[in-house]
Amino acid sequence: MSEIRVNGADVVTAHQDLHSEQGALRGERPGRSRNPVIKVADLAWLEFEKPDLDRAEVFARDFGFGVAARTERELWLRGTFAGSPCMVIRKGRTSRFIGPAFRAAERGDLDRLARATGASVREADVPGGGKAVDLLDPSGFPVRVVYCGEQLPALPEQRPLPLNFGTDHRRTNTTQRPPREPSRIQRLGHVVLETRVFGRALDWYLDTLGMIVSDFLFLDGQRDRGPTMAFIRCDLGVVPADHHTLAMHLGPGTGYVHSAYQVTDLDSIAAGGEYLKERGYRRSWGIGRHIQGSQLFDYWRDPDRFMLEHFADGDLFSCDVEPGWAPMSTSGLAQWGPPATRDFLGAGPSPQRVRDVIEALRGDNEMDPARFFGLLKAANS
């Protein structure tokens, strides 16, 4: 592994010119656990509660989900890929995010996890059946680890359009006319969470679920205090995995930020976005291309104000790629595209946000005035 010196500090740069301009300084977080309890294979699904399942289903179909199962109390949504559903929405009095479910690589992982945490293995409430272990992360999110024996079959795909590049002509005597229809979701990609106990929560996911960090972000002038955001992937060994399956950042609140769903290509994102716009839905931010993860992206709000992302062409890393380090800033979120909106950043001074800030600054957590003002600076940089 090659090393260079930057500002007098030794910097590991195995990833130089790969995914980040900077590597770790000597002694910083390694971004992985030496001996995790298990190594989860992927996100399985996300769990929500909403009072109106009919309205939720209309948006879901417009956004590009298929319906795997529907009862009076539950709505299971899926993508076109074979595997588990992407999301379950249960009927509840209010709209709220419950938590993520991760997929165990093997059935025995559930027994190992249960022994290590004092939990129990139970029947999973999922179409087709399965087993689950229910945990609670340090932020207070219910986290479910599942093993499902029966998988949903694949559905017909939205095929990518053939493109002409310079002298490489793959399309002749025919035109491009992407249909104005929903982006057909292939699978669940990642979820982003906000937490007041970032360091403790990060260690829990690395130690308990065996995930590894792809990129750390830190606040300007506060790198010595450690990162305030991490993009975290599953450790599949030499098999490349999504740049991030989970992302977490320090903030005054504790909750869901957004979730992301893979579609075929840029035309699928754009044509699907036009379809959503025609039906009165509100784009939060996009279209653009991210820096960390490199995904093409487009963000939307559903009728309950939850933010969901269409993405395509994301980075895939094997286990030997070390974490990158970069300063946290709004301008650093995208390589190209429109400026990040206040809606995407959650910058509106709502009464609940004000209460979150006051509680966070008074509470026993990792949010203090320096962190808070550093986050404000990053949001405006």
Side-chain angles (χ1 to χ4, degrees):
M1 183 176 292
S2 63
E3 294 188 0
I4 61 172
R5 294 186 65 84
V6 177
N7 296 329
D10 292 327
V11 181
V12 179
T13 58
H15 57 277
Q16 190 76 10
D17 300 324
L18 175 61
H19 71 109
S20 179
E21 295 179 357
Q22 303 179 37
L25 302 177
R26 194 173 298 279
E28 286 185 315
R29 279 180 174 269
R32 65 185 68 201
S33 174
R34 291 185 176 181
N35 188 29
V37 178
I38 66 169
K39 293 183 178 181
V40 293
D42 204 352
L43 267 176
W45 61 79
L46 303 178
E47 302 193 6
F48 293 82
E49 283 186 357
K50 295 187 178 186
D52 190 338
L53 294 188
D54 290 334
R55 184 174 72 167
E57 182 177 345
V58 170
F59 172 79
R61 291 185 183 277
D62 287 342
F63 193 73
F65 289 106
V67 174
R70 172 72 196 268
T71 69
E72 290 185 1
R73 305 294 304 177
E74 291 185 344
L75 172 63
W76 287 88
L77 304 175
R78 62 161 299 172
T80 58
F81 285 0
S84 63
C86 297
M87 183 188 298
V88 56
I89 304 173
R90 297 188 174 91
K91 194 170 182 64
R93 289 183 296 177
T94 61
S95 294
R96 66 189 186 107
F97 173 68
I98 303 301
F102 290 88
R103 179 168 60 86
E106 301 176 355
R107 169 61 181 83
D109 285 345
L110 298 186
D111 298 320
R112 189 176 304 110
L113 187 61
R115 287 194 301 269
T117 61
S120 58
V121 180
R122 65 166 184 83
E123 293 293 327
D125 180 17
V126 57
K131 300 291 184 179
V133 173
D134 293 329
L135 305 171
L136 200 68
D137 80 0
S139 304
F141 289 114
V143 175
R144 185 163 293 167
V145 181
V146 300
Y147 184 82
C148 301
E150 183 177 332
Q151 302 292 302
L152 296 172
L155 296 177
E157 287 290 329
Q158 199 169 30
R159 299 186 64 83
L161 297 180
L163 303 178
N164 289 331
F165 300 98
T167 59
D168 181 9
H169 299 155
R170 305 180 185 185
R171 177 178 53 83
T172 59
N173 296 330
T174 185
T175 59
Q176 293 282 39
R177 299 293 186 269
R180 191 71 60 88
E181 64 182 10
S183 305
R184 205 168 304 169
I185 287 169
Q186 296 173 326
R187 64 183 180 94
L188 167 63
H190 64 261
V191 63
V192 181
L193 304 175
E194 179 178 336
T195 175
R196 298 173 182 174
V197 290
F198 171 80
R200 284 162 45 199
L202 174 61
D203 287 341
W204 187 88
Y205 282 97
L206 305 190
D207 294 338
T208 308
L209 303 187
M211 305 183 81
I212 54 181
V213 175
S214 297
D215 278 290
F216 284 119
L217 302 185
F218 57 89
L219 295 176
D220 183 39
Q222 298 186 36
R223 181 166 181 171
D224 60 326
R225 296 189 61 185
T228 48
M229 185 166 186
F231 296 87
I232 312 160
R233 70 186 185 275
C234 295
D235 183 356
L236 305 183
V238 297
V239 177
D242 284 342
H243 173 271
H244 56 283
T245 297
L246 169 68
M248 291 191 304
H249 68 80
L250 178 66
T254 298
Y256 169 94
V257 178
H258 76 260
S259 53
Y261 304 86
Q262 181 177 289
V263 299
T264 302
D265 58 11
L266 181 58
D267 277 287
S268 176
I269 292 175
E274 292 300 303
Y275 182 90
L276 286 167
K277 190 166 60 175
E278 288 172 355
R279 278 149 184 79
Y281 299 110
R282 178 182 174 187
R283 174 181 273 121
S284 181
W285 182 35
I287 299 172
R289 186 182 281 277
H290 281 306
I291 294 179
Q292 279 78 25
S294 303
Q295 301 95 337
L296 295 162
F297 66 81
D298 198 18
Y299 293 89
W300 294 83
R301 294 280 184 182
D302 76 1
D304 297 285
R305 297 287 301 155
F306 288 107
M307 188 158 59
L308 293 85
E309 175 189 3
H310 285 141
F311 80 92
D313 191 35
D315 292 337
L316 299 170
F317 288 174
S318 58
C319 67
D320 54 346
V321 176
E322 295 295 326
W325 286 72
M328 196 172 184
S329 69
T330 295
S331 60
L333 292 174
Q335 301 178 46
W336 56 261
T341 64
R342 289 179 60 84
D343 179 75
F344 172 81
L345 296 170
S350 68
Q352 181 58 53
R353 198 61 171 169
V354 173
R355 287 193 294 269
D356 287 343
V357 171
I358 293 172
E359 290 178 9
L361 292 176
R362 291 176 175 176
D364 180 17
N365 54 65
E366 297 169 28
M367 181 63 64
D368 56 33
R371 286 303 212 191
F372 175 67
F373 288 112
L375 288 169
L376 287 181
K377 180 181 177 181
N380 290 285
S381 63

